[in-house]
Amino acid sequence: MHQSAGISIGYLADRTGLAVSAIRYYEAQGLVEPWRNAGGQRRFHRADIRRLSFIMIAQQFGFSLPEIRGFLKSLPGGRTPTKEDWACISANFRSHLDQRIETLVRLRDNLDGCIGCGCLSLPNCKLYNPEDRAAQKGQGPRYLMGDRPEAENDP
Amino acid sequence: MHQSAGISIGYLADRTGLAVSAIRYYEAQGLVEPWRNAGGQRRFHRADIRRLSFIMIAQQFGFSLPEIRGFLKSLPGGRTPTKEDWACISANFRSHLDQRIETLVRLRDNLDGCIGCGCLSLPNCKLYNPEDRAAQKGQGPRYLMGDRPEAENDP
DNA sequence: GTAATTCCTAAACCTAACTTTAGCTCAAGA
DNA sequence: TCTTGAGCTAAAGTTAGGTTTAGGAATTAC
């Protein structure tokens, strides 16, 4: 199989707009796996241009490199990914994306209640509701917007 | 004016769910401005509970501390913020939030074209379009998804 | 064939957003 | 009063996602 010489890291950098150092960093993070030529230099598959572009796009959507590595795991290791491989990974990616957007929209809508009440703090504020709070990412404030159910004015 | 003794950093931490060290860090970043008591300990306004909660919420939406400081600048310095003050800042915040969500949705819709074509790379992919690319945050890939208009198969 | 690029590694450095540590002071309760 | 928890500062450490630097080695261009 005349797998060809592969492309150099510099060429890959030119084609993707990434810095050479970033590509080496991605390799260290297991996002791309070049081989080496006789002189020890990295050689990449032409398909890695697409792979790295996918990484850049996913980053724009706020996914971390480990999350992106997870997406990329579904791509075949031995051969060049086909249209179908990419369609599959894209669909998976898309569903995570939808989730992310929905979370933001829900938080925004909750915030709307706060703007309506004009104080960001009353019990009728939805961000204040435990169930809504549970949906938030990370730890979040224990008592959102500064009030505990019982009191605003204890010691 | 019996401005009261103010609240301690530990109490503020308990009420917001933030670490004491985080609150001190926010002070260093100019997000909150406590005064000191006779013994040199920080004292906060009760209204700072709300202020810090706002910071936490804005962070969940992905805003940086400098951006959040910008939002908070519209709050009055001398007096405790009123309902109206908070309504104003919330509206401002909301519009930035809308922008952020729109950007994500637009990117997602562009990605849909790619999923449709199944390859994440053809010229009919919208992420490939210079105008759409211009709308992206950050530098972004120069030739998105791995193809230049002219060629997939040059050197 | 030689000069200019490009590439290599390892290690240090960078920013954001914090946390941890060390050593010391203040305040609150029995 | 005295002990213990809470607070103070300054500096160093941490994670993510890289970049920069230093000192060589391989490639490419003329």
Side-chain angles (χ1 to χ4, degrees):
Chain A
M1 190 192 274
H2 120 294
Q3 166 63 339
S4 91
I7 64 179
S8 72
I9 196 169
Y11 180 71
L12 185 52
D14 275 354
R15 290 296 299 270
T16 58
L18 285 166
V20 165
S21 61
I23 298 174
R24 284 198 277 248
Y25 179 74
Y26 292 158
E27 181 190 1
Q29 301 306 303
L31 292 165
V32 66
E33 292 184 342
W35 67 98
R36 303 300 178 115
N37 71 3
Q41 299 194 349
R42 290 171 181 82
R43 292 304 150 191
F44 296 82
H45 295 285
R46 192 160 274 284
D48 286 333
I49 298 173
R50 197 160 292 163
R51 193 179 176 94
L52 289 182
S53 298
F54 176 82
I55 294 171
M56 296 173 85
I57 289 179
Q59 277 194 304
Q60 284 178 40
F61 285 110
F63 293 97
S64 67
L65 295 186
E67 286 172 317
I68 296 170
R69 189 171 47 215
F71 291 133
L72 289 170
K73 269 216 296 265
S74 70
L75 284 182
R79 58 181 167 76
T80 297
T82 63
K83 262 166 118 80
E84 289 68 34
D85 293 323
W86 278 111
C88 176
I89 196 179
S90 297
N92 179 26
F93 178 59
R94 163 75 201 243
S95 88
H96 283 263
L97 198 46
D98 284 345
Q99 256 179 258
R100 186 152 293 209
I101 290 175
E102 264 164 45
T103 301
L104 273 188
V105 168
R106 189 162 27 68
L107 277 170
R108 179 190 59 185
D109 292 346
N110 288 349
L111 188 63
D112 274 351
C114 297
I115 296 178
C117 79
C119 61
L120 285 163
S121 92
L122 299 179
N124 61 351
C125 166
K126 282 198 184 156
L127 280 171
Y128 183 83
N129 183 306
E131 271 125 286
D132 288 306
R133 271 187 279 145
Q136 287 158 198
K137 81 165 189 204
Q139 256 213 306
R142 270 215 286 284
Y143 300 114
L144 220 53
M145 295 328 290
D147 293 285
R148 274 198 292 216
E150 333 81 55
E152 159 93 14
N153 25 27
D154 49 343
Chain B
M1 185 192 274
H2 119 293
Q3 166 65 337
S4 94
I7 64 179
S8 72
I9 196 168
Y11 180 71
L12 185 53
D14 274 355
R15 291 296 299 273
T16 57
L18 285 167
V20 165
S21 61
I23 298 176
R24 285 198 276 250
Y25 179 73
Y26 291 158
E27 181 191 2
Q29 302 306 302
L31 292 164
V32 66
E33 292 185 343
W35 68 96
R36 302 300 177 115
N37 71 3
Q41 300 194 348
R42 290 172 181 82
R43 292 302 151 193
F44 297 82
H45 296 286
R46 192 159 274 284
D48 286 334
I49 299 174
R50 200 160 290 163
R51 193 179 176 93
L52 289 182
S53 297
F54 176 82
I55 294 172
M56 297 173 84
I57 290 179
Q59 278 193 304
Q60 285 178 40
F61 285 111
F63 292 97
S64 68
L65 296 186
E67 285 172 319
I68 295 170
R69 188 170 50 212
F71 292 133
L72 290 170
K73 267 214 299 264
S74 70
L75 285 181
R79 58 183 170 74
T80 296
T82 64
K83 261 166 120 78
E84 288 69 32
D85 293 324
W86 278 111
C88 176
I89 196 179
S90 296
N92 177 26
F93 178 59
R94 162 75 200 243
S95 88
H96 283 263
L97 197 48
D98 283 346
Q99 254 177 258
R100 188 152 291 211
I101 290 176
E102 264 163 46
T103 300
L104 273 188
V105 167
R106 188 160 30 68
L107 276 170
R108 178 189 59 185
D109 292 346
N110 288 348
L111 188 63
D112 274 352
C114 297
I115 296 177
C117 78
C119 61
L120 285 163
S121 93
L122 298 180
N124 61 350
C125 166
K126 282 199 186 155
L127 281 171
Y128 184 81
N129 183 307
E131 271 124 286
D132 289 305
R133 270 187 278 147
Q136 287 159 199
K137 84 167 188 202
Q139 258 216 308
R142 270 215 287 283
Y143 301 114
L144 218 56
M145 294 329 288
D147 294 285
R148 274 195 291 217
E150 333 79 54
E152 159 92 15
N153 24 28
D154 48 345

